[in-house]
Structure formats: C-alpha cells, structure tokens
Amino acid sequence: MTQSEVPLTPVRPTAATSTLGSLLVRRRSTRSFGPRPLSIAQVALMAWAAQGRTTEGHRSCPSAHALYPITLTVIAGNVDGLAAGAYRYDAERHVLIPVVGGDHRDRVASTTLADQGWLRHAAALLLLSGDMDAAMQHFADQPPQGRRGQRYVWLEAGHASQNIYLQATEAGLGAVLVAGFDDDQLLGLTPAVVPSGQHPLALLGIGHPADQEG
Ligand SMILES: Cc1cc2nc3c(=O)[nH]c(=O)nc-3n(C[C@H](O)[C@H](O)[C@H](O)COP(=O)(O)O)c2cc1C
C-alpha cells in the first residue's frame, strides 16, 4: 500500500513562544561587518558557546565519547580591551591564552578560496581545529577504521559552528561560517595560528553587522 503524505503540525516559532525557534528563524550569515569593536564579554560569550565547559567533563557541544578533540583559536583584531593577536581558548578555565601578537585577520582571510576579502573586516575570527590523530586513535576499533574518528571531529565542528551562529543571533551580533579555505596555506602561515598537529576545520567571522551600525 502506498503511504500518503503526512501533514505536519505547523511550526511557527515566535519570540514569545520559543526562544530557540526564534533564533533558528533569525539566524543568517553576515558578510558585512561594521567598525564597532566587540567587547571581551562578547568574545567570551562566543567562545563559550563554541566550546565552553558546562558541567564536569562536558562542553556546550556534543562530542563522541566526550573526547573534545576541537580547539578554538580566537584571532582578535577589533576587540575592546583585548590586544590584537591569536589566542587559544582554554575551555576548562574559560581563559584566552596568547599565542601570537598582532592583527592576523588579513593573513588568515587571505587563505580563503573565493574572494572573501570582506572577512578581514570581522572584528574577530574564530578558528576551529581538530586533533585528528587523537580521534583516529581513540576510535580505531570503529569502522571504517581510521576514518570514523575523523568524521566525528567534522561533525563536532558543525555543532560548534551552529552554536556560534545561534549565540551571535541572540546577542545581536553577526557571524558567518567560512569553510572554503586552503588547508595548506592556513597550515603554512608563519607565525602559525593553527595549533601544532591539528587540522583546520572551520573559520567563523564575528562582529557587529554593518546594517546595525548607528
Ligand atoms: C559547510 C559550510 C561551508 C560554508 N562555507 C562558506 C564560505 O566559504 N564562504 C561563505 O561566505 N559562506 C560559507 N557558508 C555559509 C553559507 O553560504 C550560508 O549558510 C548559506 O548561503 C545560507 O545562508 P544563511 O546562513 O544566511 O541562511 C558555509 C556554510 C556551510 C554549512
């Protein structure tokens, strides 16, 4: 017997009835950023949404076996009270650890594949990278062998990216996921921004949307 279509209950999220639904509706990619700097508090919020510690041994994103193979690097350029530079986010302690000083947004944006010159105008770039070797070893007994662990890392990068989008939406900020970059160029930047031994997964620009500048 052929099954007929099943009409679903309409989903009409509003700010009043569903905070999450409203964020999902309003979430968009922002590619035009204004000159207003982010505050450290806003950067903290975004870093926490991406990879923050929630309870003992857990973070804001799901992670296979709670391995947490992803590292967040904040490439700050226009953040009030935070010197331009690349910083590693320590999720356990909720601190930024300086890696290299100076404004590296331009260098990082120049590794993107298409003409994404607008990306350098984001107040900060959030780089997600993964420890592929650790994940491959950890999940070595799961087929397809050697690849399952890597897949988990990529999936987790998607979770972290969506968290960043939704948190940005709630905070009135703009965010965009740029996954089109040249891995080798990004890995080859000197001084390095990708943690040693890790693979770049995703780059997100965050800042105040240009159309909200006043
Ligand atoms: C895996 C992935 C890779 C993406 N890479 C890029 C990118 O390199 N450059 C870019 O401008 N947007 C990129 N985006 C954002 C999409 O272009 C965007 O989500 C899409 O146009 C839908 O628009 P919306 O996010 O405003 O709903 C990417 C999105 C995903 C999920």
Side-chain angles (χ1 to χ4, degrees), residues 42-60:
Q42 287 167 325
V43 170
L45 191 63
M46 303 305 295
W48 184 86
Q51 278 294 293
R53 178 188 191 277
T54 50
T55 55
E56 182 67 34
H58 295 273
R59 295 189 189 174
S60 56

Side-chain angles (χ1 to χ4, degrees), residues 82-166:
L82 183 67
Y87 300 82
R88 222 67 88 201
Y89 177 59
D90 181 326
E92 277 304 309
R93 296 187 297 130
H94 192 57
V95 297
L96 290 179
I97 301 168
V99 177
V100 51
D103 190 347
H104 302 281
R105 290 175 298 172
D106 208 29
R107 290 193 315 131
V108 172
S110 71
T111 68
T112 53
L113 295 178
D115 177 18
Q116 297 183 139
W118 45 264
L119 187 58
R120 71 200 63 202
H121 301 299
L125 304 176
L126 303 179
L127 171 69
L128 300 173
S129 59
D131 189 338
M132 295 308 203
D133 291 341
M136 278 162 62
Q137 278 170 29
H138 186 91
F139 296 103
D141 59 337
Q142 296 188 9
Q145 267 162 14
R147 300 216 305 278
R148 178 67 56 185
Q150 287 197 7
R151 287 184 194 175
Y152 289 156
V153 180
W154 286 110
L155 286 166
E156 290 179 32
H159 288 292
S161 300
Q162 179 75 338
N163 282 7
I164 291 168
Y165 264 115
L166 294 178

Side-chain angles (χ1 to χ4, degrees), residues 184-206:
D184 293 332
Q185 272 188 36
L186 190 49
L187 283 164
L189 288 179
T190 316
V193 291
V194 182
S196 167
Q198 297 211 1
H199 189 81
L201 307 166
L203 196 57
L204 291 106
I206 57 169

Side-chain angles (χ1 to χ4, degrees), residues 24-31 112-116 118-119 158 161-162 165 175-181 201-203:
L24 290 170
V25 170
R26 290 189 287 123
R27 182 215 59 78
R28 292 299 309 273
S29 295
T30 297
R31 297 187 183 83
T112 53
L113 295 178
D115 177 18
Q116 297 183 139
W118 45 264
L119 187 58
S161 300
Q162 179 75 338
Y165 264 115
V176 60
L177 165 61
V178 173
F181 50 76
L201 307 166
L203 196 57

